[in-house]
Structures are given as structure tokens and as C-alpha cells.
Amino acid sequence: MIGKFFQKPELEQSDRVPPGQFLTKGFPVLTYGNTPQVNIDDWEFRVWGLATPKTWRWSDFMTMPQHDFTKDFHCVTRWSKLDVQWTGIKVTDFMSQVELDPKATHVLQHCYGGYTTNLTLDEFVREDNFFAHTLFGEPLPPEHGGPVRLVVPHLYAWKSAKWINGLEFFDHEESGFWERNGYHRRGEPWAEERYSS
């Protein structure tokens, strides 16, 4: 597999590739379960819990400020892809439309297909996190999480939920799918926070 699909990072890339990672020549697709097929006309995004309940449609998301992002992407299964080009909406811009209870400290991402993953509010509301709907200039394909996924570049990719359709806010930590099944609560690549101890 090494050489055909993956390669060791060059010395000058060592500050961008976390320990134990290999660079991929493609963009692998790893999914637990079936890939949801969601039409943008049917797509909805909700917030609830310790936030005033609200629902957005596709057109609502498209009226928010749009930005291009070029970020490195690290998967817990030991591959990394550098300079991935996305277009989407900053989490900070989105959150300006959310009425959040001051007691909220954590968020659980909900997705079409039933997947969930958790973040602290501090990890979620960062300037470099975004909701992506475009990948390398094309609409985000379903296998990569389209029509919309969250991208959290500073954590392993399972925290960047594919097919996201909602956020539930809590005053405590609630584990998501992989966190309940042995993955680390945080998932920081440079600390190799892959699995719970």
C-alpha cells in the first residue's frame, strides 16, 4: 500500500504532517454504514438543546458569507491530505445567527444517516472551522459528506461530520458514535489522540 496509494512525508512537510501519518495520493472515502443521498431541495439544518430552536434551508445557508479554504486534512486511520480546497461558511458566521444559552459548553453534531460526533463549544467555535459544500471547485459529493459537512481542520477527520444536518447544545459532554465505540474524546492529531485509553 505504501508507495502505490500513500507515501511518507518529505522532511520539509514534517511540520504539516502529524506523527504516524502518511500522505495520500488520492482522497480516501471511509464511511460506517450507507452513504445518504440528500437532495438540496430537501436538506434542512436545525439547532436545538441549549439554543433557541431554529431551522435553515439550503437557500438560507447560501445567503451567508461564502469563503474559500485551503486546509490539511488528517484521518485517524493514518492518512493525511495536504492543501484540500473547500468552499463554505465559517462556523463563526453561522453562530452569529444562533441564540445560544450561556450555559452551553458542548455540541453534538447530528447527521443524515444517524451519525453523531461531539465537540466542546470552544473546539467548535473556532475561526478556521467551517461548513463545506464545495470540494476542489465542485459540489461536495455524497461520498465526501455532501451536500454539507463540517470541517474541523485541527482535529482528526471523524470530528468533521459528513452529511451534517443539526447541532444539539449541552451543558455537559455527550459522546458521539465513534466516541462511544473506543475513539478518543477529543482527537488531536499532533498528540495522536486516536483511541481512548
Side-chain angles (χ1 to χ4, degrees):
M1 293 279 281
I2 300 296
K4 185 175 182 182
F5 300 109
F6 302 94
Q7 63 189 39
K8 292 182 179 180
E10 301 290 337
L11 186 60
E12 62 270 17
Q13 297 168 321
S14 62
D15 63 335
R16 297 177 63 187
V17 182
Q21 298 289 108
F22 294 89
L23 293 177
T24 179
K25 296 179 179 179
F27 200 160
V29 175
L30 299 173
T31 299
Y32 182 86
N34 296 324
T35 298
Q37 304 291 323
V38 184
N39 188 295
I40 59 173
D41 293 332
D42 300 321
W43 182 83
E44 289 186 343
F45 192 95
R46 298 189 305 125
V47 299
W48 71 99
L50 291 179
T52 301
K54 188 174 179 179
T55 301
W56 290 259
R57 301 299 303 267
W58 183 260
S59 58
D60 301 320
F61 252 55
M62 293 304 102
T63 60
M64 296 184 207
Q66 305 291 312
H67 300 274
D68 294 325
F69 306 88
T70 299
K71 299 291 182 180
D72 299 340
F73 196 77
H74 309 293
C75 183
V76 70
T77 59
R78 298 188 182 273
W79 60 263
S80 292
K81 186 169 182 64
L82 304 183
D83 298 321
V84 182
Q85 297 172 21
W86 312 86
T87 302
I89 298 109
K90 290 182 179 181
V91 165
T92 51
D93 288 339
F94 172 78
M95 288 299 293
S96 70
Q97 299 190 15
V98 175
E99 295 178 29
L100 197 61
D101 188 309
K103 295 191 294 289
T105 59
H106 291 75
V107 59
L108 189 67
Q109 303 172 56
H110 290 263
C111 307
Y112 289 101
Y115 179 77
T116 56
T117 189
N118 65 303
L119 291 167
T120 66
L121 192 59
D122 287 342
E123 298 275 18
F124 174 64
V125 185
R126 288 174 51 130
E127 190 66 25
D128 57 347
N129 295 345
F130 55 94
F131 298 99
H133 55 71
T134 300
L135 175 64
F136 292 114
E138 299 291 335
L140 185 64
E143 62 268 24
H144 284 297
V148 173
R149 75 178 297 164
L150 182 68
V151 180
V152 182
H154 70 287
L155 299 178
Y156 283 124
W158 90 81
K159 296 292 189 176
S160 297
K162 297 191 237 184
W163 317 297
I164 192 165
N165 70 349
L167 300 170
E168 185 177 8
F169 293 92
F170 294 92
D171 61 0
H172 60 277
E173 183 177 50
E174 286 284 333
S175 295
F177 175 81
W178 284 119
E179 295 82 16
R180 292 192 305 270
N181 286 280
Y183 278 41
H184 197 276
R185 292 163 55 201
R186 182 167 182 250
E188 205 280 296
W190 292 96
E192 295 196 80
E193 294 176 341
R194 301 177 190 278
Y195 309 109
S196 58
S197 53

Coordinates of all heavy atoms in Angstrom, one line a residue, residues 74-127:
H74 N -6.6 15.3 8.2 CA -5.9 14.2 8.8 C -6.9 13.2 9.3 O -7.8 13.5 10.1 CB -5.1 14.6 10.0 CG -4.1 15.8 9.6 ND1 -3.1 15.6 8.8 CD2 -4.1 17.1 10.0 CE1 -2.4 16.8 8.6 NE2 -3.0 17.7 9.4
C75 N -6.8 11.9 8.8 CA -7.7 10.9 9.2 C -7.1 10.0 10.3 O -5.9 9.7 10.3 CB -8.1 10.0 8.0 SG -9.3 8.7 8.4
V76 N -7.9 9.6 11.3 CA -7.4 8.7 12.4 C -6.8 7.4 11.8 O -6.0 6.8 12.5 CB -8.5 8.5 13.4 CG1 -9.6 7.5 12.8 CG2 -7.9 7.9 14.7
T77 N -7.2 7.0 10.6 CA -6.6 5.7 10.1 C -5.3 5.9 9.4 O -4.8 5.1 8.7 CB -7.6 5.2 9.0 OG1 -7.9 6.1 8.0 CG2 -8.9 4.8 9.7
R78 N -4.6 7.1 9.8 CA -3.2 7.3 9.5 C -2.9 7.9 8.1 O -1.8 7.8 7.6 CB -2.3 6.1 9.8 CG -2.4 5.6 11.2 CD -1.4 4.5 11.5 NE -1.5 4.1 12.9 CZ -0.9 4.7 13.9 NH1 -0.1 5.7 13.7 NH2 -1.0 4.3 15.2
W79 N -3.9 8.4 7.4 CA -3.6 9.2 6.2 C -3.9 10.6 6.3 O -4.7 11.0 7.1 CB -4.3 8.6 5.0 CG -5.8 8.6 5.0 CD1 -6.6 7.6 5.4 CD2 -6.7 9.7 4.6 NE1 -7.9 8.0 5.3 CE2 -8.0 9.3 4.8 CE3 -6.4 11.0 4.2 CZ2 -9.1 10.1 4.6 CZ3 -7.5 11.8 4.0 CH2 -8.8 11.4 4.1
S80 N -3.1 11.4 5.6 CA -3.3 12.9 5.6 C -3.3 13.3 4.2 O -2.6 12.8 3.3 CB -2.1 13.6 6.3 OG -2.2 13.3 7.7
K81 N -4.1 14.4 3.9 CA -4.1 15.0 2.6 C -3.8 16.5 2.8 O -4.6 17.1 3.5 CB -5.4 14.8 1.9 CG -5.4 15.3 0.4 CD -6.6 14.9 -0.3 CE -6.6 15.4 -1.8 NZ -5.5 14.8 -2.6
L82 N -2.8 17.0 2.1 CA -2.5 18.4 2.3 C -3.2 19.3 1.2 O -3.5 18.8 0.1 CB -1.0 18.6 2.1 CG -0.1 17.7 3.1 CD1 1.4 18.1 2.8 CD2 -0.5 17.9 4.5
D83 N -3.4 20.5 1.6 CA -4.0 21.6 0.7 C -5.3 21.2 0.1 O -5.5 21.3 -1.1 CB -2.9 21.9 -0.4 CG -1.7 22.5 0.2 OD1 -1.8 23.3 1.2 OD2 -0.6 22.2 -0.3
V84 N -6.2 20.7 0.9 CA -7.6 20.4 0.4 C -8.3 21.7 0.2 O -8.3 22.6 1.1 CB -8.3 19.5 1.3 CG1 -9.7 19.1 0.8 CG2 -7.5 18.2 1.6
Q85 N -8.9 21.9 -0.9 CA -9.6 23.2 -1.2 C -11.1 23.0 -1.1 O -11.7 22.2 -1.8 CB -9.2 23.6 -2.7 CG -7.7 23.9 -2.9 CD -7.4 24.1 -4.3 OE1 -8.2 24.5 -5.1 NE2 -6.1 23.9 -4.6
W86 N -11.6 23.8 -0.2 CA -13.1 23.8 0.1 C -13.7 25.2 -0.1 O -13.0 26.2 -0.1 CB -13.3 23.4 1.5 CG -12.6 22.3 2.1 CD1 -11.3 22.3 2.7 CD2 -13.1 20.9 2.2 NE1 -11.0 21.0 3.1 CE2 -12.1 20.2 2.9 CE3 -14.3 20.3 1.9 CZ2 -12.2 18.8 3.2 CZ3 -14.4 19.0 2.2 CH2 -13.4 18.2 2.8
T87 N -15.0 25.2 -0.2 CA -15.7 26.5 -0.2 C -16.9 26.3 0.8 O -17.5 25.2 0.8 CB -16.3 26.9 -1.5 OG1 -15.2 27.1 -2.4 CG2 -17.0 28.2 -1.4
G88 N -17.2 27.3 1.6 CA -18.3 27.1 2.5 C -18.5 28.3 3.5 O -18.1 29.4 3.1
I89 N -19.1 28.0 4.6 CA -19.5 29.1 5.6 C -18.7 28.9 6.9 O -18.7 27.8 7.4 CB -21.0 29.0 5.8 CG1 -21.8 29.2 4.5 CG2 -21.4 29.9 6.9 CD1 -22.5 28.0 4.0
K90 N -18.1 29.9 7.4 CA -17.4 29.8 8.6 C -18.4 29.5 9.8 O -19.5 30.1 9.8 CB -16.7 31.2 9.0 CG -15.5 31.5 8.1 CD -14.9 32.8 8.6 CE -13.7 33.2 7.7 NZ -13.1 34.5 8.2
V91 N -18.0 28.7 10.7 CA -18.8 28.4 11.8 C -19.1 29.7 12.6 O -20.2 29.9 13.1 CB -18.1 27.4 12.7 CG1 -18.7 27.3 14.1 CG2 -18.1 26.0 12.1
T92 N -18.1 30.6 12.7 CA -18.4 31.8 13.4 C -19.4 32.7 12.8 O -20.2 33.3 13.5 CB -17.1 32.6 13.6 OG1 -16.5 32.8 12.3 CG2 -16.1 31.9 14.5
D93 N -19.5 32.7 11.4 CA -20.6 33.4 10.8 C -21.9 32.7 11.0 O -23.0 33.4 11.3 CB -20.3 33.4 9.3 CG -19.2 34.4 8.9 OD1 -18.9 35.3 9.7 OD2 -18.6 34.3 7.8
F94 N -22.0 31.4 11.0 CA -23.2 30.7 11.2 C -23.7 30.9 12.7 O -24.9 31.2 12.9 CB -23.0 29.2 11.0 CG -24.2 28.4 11.4 CD1 -25.3 28.3 10.7 CD2 -24.2 27.7 12.7 CE1 -26.5 27.6 11.1 CE2 -25.3 27.0 13.1 CZ -26.4 26.9 12.3
M95 N -22.8 30.9 13.6 CA -23.2 31.0 15.0 C -23.7 32.4 15.3 O -24.4 32.6 16.3 CB -22.0 30.6 15.9 CG -21.7 29.1 15.9 SD -23.1 28.1 16.5 CE -23.1 28.7 18.3
S96 N -23.4 33.4 14.5 CA -24.0 34.7 14.7 C -25.5 34.7 14.5 O -26.2 35.6 15.0 CB -23.3 35.7 13.8 OG -23.7 35.5 12.4
Q97 N -26.0 33.6 14.0 CA -27.5 33.5 13.8 C -28.1 32.6 14.8 O -29.3 32.3 14.7 CB -27.8 33.0 12.4 CG -27.3 33.9 11.2 CD -27.8 33.4 9.9 OE1 -28.7 32.7 9.8 NE2 -27.2 34.0 8.8
V98 N -27.3 32.1 15.7 CA -27.8 31.2 16.7 C -27.9 31.9 18.1 O -27.0 32.6 18.5 CB -26.9 30.0 16.9 CG1 -27.3 29.0 18.0 CG2 -26.8 29.2 15.6
E99 N -29.1 31.8 18.7 CA -29.3 32.3 20.1 C -28.9 31.2 21.1 O -29.7 30.2 21.3 CB -30.7 32.7 20.3 CG -31.1 33.9 19.4 CD -32.6 34.3 19.6 OE1 -33.1 34.1 20.7 OE2 -33.2 34.8 18.6
L100 N -27.7 31.3 21.6 CA -27.2 30.2 22.5 C -27.4 30.5 23.9 O -27.2 31.6 24.4 CB -25.7 30.0 22.2 CG -25.0 28.8 22.6 CD1 -25.7 27.5 21.9 CD2 -23.5 28.8 22.2
D101 N -27.8 29.5 24.7 CA -27.9 29.7 26.2 C -26.5 29.8 26.7 O -25.6 29.0 26.4 CB -28.6 28.4 26.7 CG -28.9 28.6 28.2 OD1 -28.0 28.9 29.0 OD2 -30.1 28.3 28.6
P102 N -26.3 30.7 27.6 CA -24.9 30.9 28.2 C -24.4 29.7 28.9 O -23.2 29.5 29.1 CB -25.1 32.1 29.2 CG -26.3 32.8 28.8 CD -27.2 31.8 28.1
K103 N -25.3 28.7 29.3 CA -24.8 27.5 30.0 C -24.3 26.5 29.0 O -23.7 25.5 29.5 CB -26.0 26.9 30.8 CG -26.5 27.8 31.9 CD -27.5 27.0 32.8 CE -28.8 26.7 32.1 NZ -29.6 27.8 31.8
A104 N -24.4 26.7 27.7 CA -23.9 25.7 26.7 C -22.4 25.6 26.7 O -21.7 26.6 26.7 CB -24.4 26.1 25.3
T105 N -21.9 24.4 26.8 CA -20.4 24.2 26.8 C -20.0 23.1 25.8 O -18.8 23.0 25.5 CB -20.0 23.7 28.2 OG1 -20.7 22.5 28.5 CG2 -20.2 24.7 29.3
H106 N -21.0 22.4 25.3 CA -20.7 21.3 24.3 C -21.7 21.2 23.2 O -22.8 21.7 23.4 CB -20.7 19.9 25.1 CG -19.5 19.7 26.0 ND1 -19.5 20.4 27.2 CD2 -18.4 19.0 25.9 CE1 -18.3 20.0 27.9 NE2 -17.6 19.2 27.1
V107 N -21.3 20.6 22.1 CA -22.2 20.5 21.0 C -22.1 19.0 20.4 O -21.0 18.5 20.4 CB -21.9 21.5 19.9 CG1 -20.5 21.4 19.4 CG2 -22.9 21.4 18.8
L108 N -23.2 18.5 20.1 CA -23.3 17.2 19.4 C -23.7 17.4 18.0 O -24.8 17.9 17.8 CB -24.2 16.2 20.2 CG -24.2 14.8 19.7 CD1 -22.8 14.1 20.1 CD2 -25.3 14.0 20.4
Q109 N -22.9 17.0 17.0 CA -23.3 17.1 15.6 C -24.2 15.9 15.3 O -23.9 14.8 15.6 CB -22.0 17.0 14.7 CG -21.0 18.1 15.0 CD -19.7 17.8 14.3 OE1 -19.7 17.7 13.0 NE2 -18.6 17.7 15.0
H110 N -25.3 16.2 14.6 CA -26.2 15.2 14.1 C -26.2 15.2 12.5 O -26.0 16.3 11.9 CB -27.6 15.5 14.6 CG -27.8 15.2 16.0 ND1 -28.3 14.1 16.5 CD2 -27.6 16.1 17.1 CE1 -28.4 14.2 17.9 NE2 -27.9 15.4 18.2
C111 N -26.3 14.0 12.0 CA -26.2 13.9 10.5 C -27.3 13.0 9.9 O -27.8 12.1 10.6 CB -24.8 13.2 10.2 SG -23.4 14.1 11.0
Y112 N -27.5 13.2 8.6 CA -28.4 12.3 7.9 C -27.7 10.9 8.0 O -26.5 10.8 7.9 CB -28.5 12.7 6.4 CG -29.4 13.9 6.3 CD1 -28.8 15.2 6.1 CD2 -30.8 13.8 6.3 CE1 -29.6 16.3 5.9 CE2 -31.6 14.9 6.1 CZ -31.0 16.1 5.9 OH -31.8 17.3 5.7
G113 N -28.5 9.9 8.2 CA -27.9 8.5 8.4 C -27.7 8.2 9.8 O -27.4 7.0 10.1
G114 N -27.8 9.1 10.7 CA -27.8 8.8 12.2 C -26.4 9.0 12.8 O -26.3 8.8 14.0
Y115 N -25.4 9.4 12.1 CA -24.1 9.6 12.7 C -24.1 10.8 13.6 O -24.8 11.8 13.4 CB -23.0 9.8 11.6 CG -21.6 10.0 12.1 CD1 -20.9 8.9 12.6 CD2 -21.1 11.3 12.1 CE1 -19.6 9.1 13.1 CE2 -19.8 11.5 12.6 CZ -19.0 10.4 13.1 OH -17.8 10.6 13.5
T116 N -23.3 10.7 14.7 CA -23.1 11.8 15.6 C -21.7 11.9 16.0 O -20.9 10.9 16.0 CB -24.0 11.7 16.9 OG1 -23.6 10.4 17.5 CG2 -25.5 11.7 16.6
T117 N -21.2 13.1 16.4 CA -19.9 13.2 17.0 C -19.9 14.5 17.8 O -20.7 15.4 17.5 CB -18.7 13.3 15.9 OG1 -17.5 13.2 16.6 CG2 -18.8 14.5 15.0
N118 N -19.1 14.6 18.8 CA -19.1 15.7 19.8 C -17.9 16.6 19.8 O -16.8 16.2 19.3 CB -19.3 15.1 21.2 CG -18.1 14.3 21.6 OD1 -17.7 13.3 21.0 ND2 -17.5 14.7 22.8
L119 N -18.1 17.8 20.2 CA -17.1 18.8 20.4 C -17.4 19.6 21.6 O -18.6 19.8 21.9 CB -17.0 19.7 19.1 CG -16.5 19.1 17.8 CD1 -16.8 20.1 16.7 CD2 -15.0 18.8 17.9
T120 N -16.3 20.1 22.2 CA -16.6 21.2 23.2 C -17.0 22.5 22.4 O -16.6 22.6 21.2 CB -15.4 21.5 24.0 OG1 -14.3 22.1 23.2 CG2 -14.9 20.3 24.8
L121 N -17.7 23.4 23.0 CA -18.0 24.6 22.3 C -16.8 25.4 21.9 O -16.8 25.9 20.8 CB -18.9 25.5 23.2 CG -19.7 26.6 22.5 CD1 -20.6 26.1 21.4 CD2 -20.5 27.4 23.6
D122 N -15.8 25.4 22.7 CA -14.5 26.1 22.3 C -13.9 25.5 21.1 O -13.3 26.2 20.3 CB -13.5 26.1 23.5 CG -14.0 27.0 24.6 OD1 -14.8 27.9 24.4 OD2 -13.4 26.8 25.8
E123 N -13.9 24.2 21.0 CA -13.3 23.5 19.8 C -14.1 23.8 18.6 O -13.6 23.9 17.5 CB -13.2 22.0 20.0 CG -12.4 21.5 21.2 CD -10.9 21.4 20.8 OE1 -10.5 22.0 19.8 OE2 -10.2 20.7 21.6
F124 N -15.5 23.9 18.7 CA -16.4 24.1 17.6 C -16.3 25.5 17.1 O -16.2 25.7 15.9 CB -17.8 23.7 18.1 CG -18.8 24.0 17.0 CD1 -18.9 23.4 15.8 CD2 -19.8 25.0 17.3 CE1 -19.8 23.6 14.9 CE2 -20.8 25.2 16.4 CZ -20.8 24.6 15.2
V125 N -16.4 26.5 18.0 CA -16.4 27.9 17.5 C -15.0 28.5 17.4 O -14.6 29.3 18.2 CB -17.3 28.7 18.5 CG1 -17.5 30.2 18.0 CG2 -18.6 28.1 18.7
R126 N -14.3 28.0 16.3 CA -13.0 28.5 16.0 C -13.0 29.1 14.6 O -13.8 28.7 13.7 CB -12.0 27.3 16.0 CG -11.7 26.9 17.4 CD -10.8 25.6 17.4 NE -9.6 25.8 16.6 CZ -8.3 25.5 17.0 NH1 -8.1 25.1 18.3 NH2 -7.3 25.7 16.2
E127 N -12.2 30.1 14.4 CA -12.2 30.9 13.2 C -11.9 30.0 11.9 O -12.3 30.3 10.8 CB -11.2 32.0 13.2 CG -11.3 33.0 12.1 CD -12.6 33.8 12.1 OE1 -13.2 34.0 13.1 OE2 -12.9 34.3 11.0

